[in-house]
Amino acid sequence: MNWGIVGLGKIANKFCDTLSFLKNEGENLVAVASRDLDKAKEFGDKYKAEKAYGSYSDLFQDEDVDSVYISTPNNLHYQEIKEALLKGKNVLSEKPITLKVEDTRELYEIAEEKGLFLMEAYWVYFLPGAFKLREIYGEIGEIEEIELSYGFYSEGKRRERKFLSSLGGGALLDIGIYNLGIMAMLGLENPMILGTKVMMNEYGTDKWSETKLLYNERTKVTTVNAIGEDIDRICTIKGEKGSIYIPDFQFLTSFSTTIQGETKAYSFPLDYNGFEYEIRHVSQCVKEKRTSSPLFTSRLSLDICRTLYRIRTLWNMKFQGVDND
């Protein structure tokens, strides 16, 4: 499939590196776009893109591009996805797909109307470890409790970019979405928010939070996320019959189960860097003329978007230029 890339930051480098690995499978980087044409040309040369644009709109109009990967700041996703769909492009958009539930719903409706594919880029969902987790988690019985945490340190311009309110910043939307994605993997949706605590930064967004959720009136979840503090990406899932321990739930290359005192370890080596599974899935869905993923469905995407919005509403955290005053 012929790809176009919009937004040329760190994550776009990983995506394009993966496309190079998948070139023999028919994945081609046709065009890249940045608001800085020189940056686009430099990036395009690095990954051997055929074209470089200094305008996102110009890339969306390129007839050689089948699908667009959008990795711009959070506040730009809605408008860029909409424009890409209206120009006839399939879209894979970085998380969070939008900042508001109604915007997310509208985009999936447009994709359906246009017969185009749209998916939020929750790449972890397509890892071999994720498939195995979904296959075996029932072995521990009804899930009673989940605890998970994720935090990293950021400084300088990267810190500002992660936190700016005008960009839809903060730890919740940047990495808390990975925490919520684990619940989606386990078939858990539409939680009740039992309580939430937050520490805000000088930009008016969250730098640390702890939220307690209840799924299906049974499963209690405690999720912690932070930017500015190194916290291991650990997840523990406790059920009636046993438990699952994931030492790094973002990459999910291993986990272990303990059932009736017996521990079993699982390991999942990657073909490359992990993005390859998501890219293959998107290409297959486009080939099958799907408008959404049968695995990471539009329903799951909307559910996570809704939960993120409800949590930040409880904090009274509004994004400049996005939320009504």
Side-chain angles (χ1 to χ4, degrees):
M1 186 161 65
N2 291 338
W3 287 90
I5 311 295
V6 169
L8 307 180
K10 181 178 179 181
I11 199 75
N13 278 270
K14 183 175 181 178
F15 192 88
C16 289
D17 184 41
T18 314
L19 286 182
S20 298
F21 171 77
L22 295 173
K23 191 168 184 61
N24 290 338
E25 297 182 26
E27 305 298 338
N28 302 304
L29 178 59
V30 171
V32 300
S34 169
R35 291 176 174 175
D36 182 337
L37 181 57
D38 290 336
K39 180 180 179 180
K41 289 178 177 178
E42 181 181 354
F43 188 97
D45 289 343
K46 180 179 179 180
Y47 293 105
K48 299 180 173 58
E50 298 172 17
K51 307 170 190 179
Y53 294 108
S55 160
Y56 301 154
S57 294
D58 288 346
L59 185 146
F60 296 149
Q61 295 179 55
D62 190 325
E63 294 183 358
D64 294 329
V65 172
D66 300 316
S67 298
V68 177
Y69 172 62
I70 293 176
S71 60
T72 52
N74 298 342
N75 65 307
L76 300 177
H77 292 176
Y78 166 70
Q79 195 57 49
E80 290 167 358
I81 296 169
K82 185 174 182 178
E83 183 178 357
L85 290 170
L86 293 176
K87 293 290 174 57
K89 306 304 180 191
N90 303 290
V91 178
L92 174 66
S93 173
E94 263 309 322
K95 311 171 294 299
I97 187 168
T98 79
L99 304 177
K100 299 166 71 174
V101 178
E102 56 266 34
D103 289 346
T104 297
R105 184 179 295 109
E106 178 190 352
L107 294 177
Y108 279 113
E109 289 173 353
I110 292 173
E112 181 70 25
E113 291 168 5
K114 296 288 184 181
L116 295 165
F117 182 77
L118 172 62
M119 191 180 82
E120 187 171 15
Y122 189 70
W123 64 280
V124 181
Y125 206 87
F126 302 95
L127 294 174
F131 279 89
K132 190 64 176 180
L133 180 63
R134 290 193 289 271
E135 176 188 326
I136 63 91
Y137 76 86
E139 294 177 6
I140 67 170
E142 290 288 333
I143 298 173
E144 298 176 334
E145 186 177 354
I146 302 173
E147 295 181 352
L148 64 173
S149 57
Y150 181 2
F152 67 91
Y153 187 75
S154 183
E155 59 184 352
K157 290 184 177 180
R158 183 168 183 254
R159 181 180 184 276
E160 183 178 58
R161 190 168 59 252
K162 291 289 186 183
F163 280 154
L164 278 175
S165 176
S166 59
L167 299 182
L172 178 67
L173 270 69
D174 190 70
I175 58 177
I177 194 167
Y178 282 103
N179 300 30
L180 294 178
I182 290 292
M183 269 61 80
M185 285 187 197
L186 300 174
L188 300 172
E189 300 178 49
N190 192 28
M192 177 188 299
I193 300 173
L194 300 179
T196 183
K197 298 183 291 186
V198 64
M199 294 175 60
M200 307 296 277
N201 56 52
E202 66 270 33
Y203 301 97
T205 56
D206 61 303
K207 64 179 181 180
W208 175 94
S209 69
E210 177 186 277
T211 300
K212 294 186 180 297
L213 304 167
L214 181 67
Y215 289 84
N216 297 338
E217 299 182 348
R218 179 183 179 89
T219 304
K220 295 180 180 180
V221 174
T222 301
T223 171
V224 174
N225 40 258
I227 296 179
E229 182 179 352
D230 286 323
I231 304 174
D232 291 337
R233 295 183 291 249
I234 291 173
C235 176
T236 303
I237 305 166
K238 299 176 182 178
E240 290 177 312
K241 302 177 182 179
S243 63
I244 300 172
Y245 174 73
I246 310 173
D248 188 339
F249 62 84
Q250 184 190 10
F251 287 91
L252 238 176
T253 54
S254 67
F255 64 78
S256 61
T257 60
T258 301
I259 301 173
Q260 295 181 341
E262 181 178 348
T263 298
K264 183 175 182 180
Y266 296 85
S267 180
F268 310 94
L270 304 176
D271 290 346
Y272 192 56
N273 62 15
F275 272 27
E276 61 272 24
Y277 305 100
E278 176 184 64
I279 293 172
R280 287 167 177 156
H281 179 74
V282 172
S283 289
Q284 186 61 36
C285 286
V286 170
K287 188 179 297 183
E288 295 173 357
K289 300 188 182 305
R290 295 182 181 272
T291 57
S292 62
S293 168
L295 297 178
F296 192 71
T297 63
S298 58
R299 189 189 73 249
L300 290 178
S301 186
L302 276 162
D303 183 69
I304 291 174
C305 182
R306 186 180 301 110
T307 302
L308 291 170
Y309 185 80
R310 288 167 59 206
I311 292 171
R312 70 179 180 90
T313 297
L314 289 173
W315 300 340
N316 197 30
M317 188 174 85
K318 297 181 179 181
F319 295 128
Q320 296 174 15
V322 176
D323 296 315
N324 296 326
D325 294 331

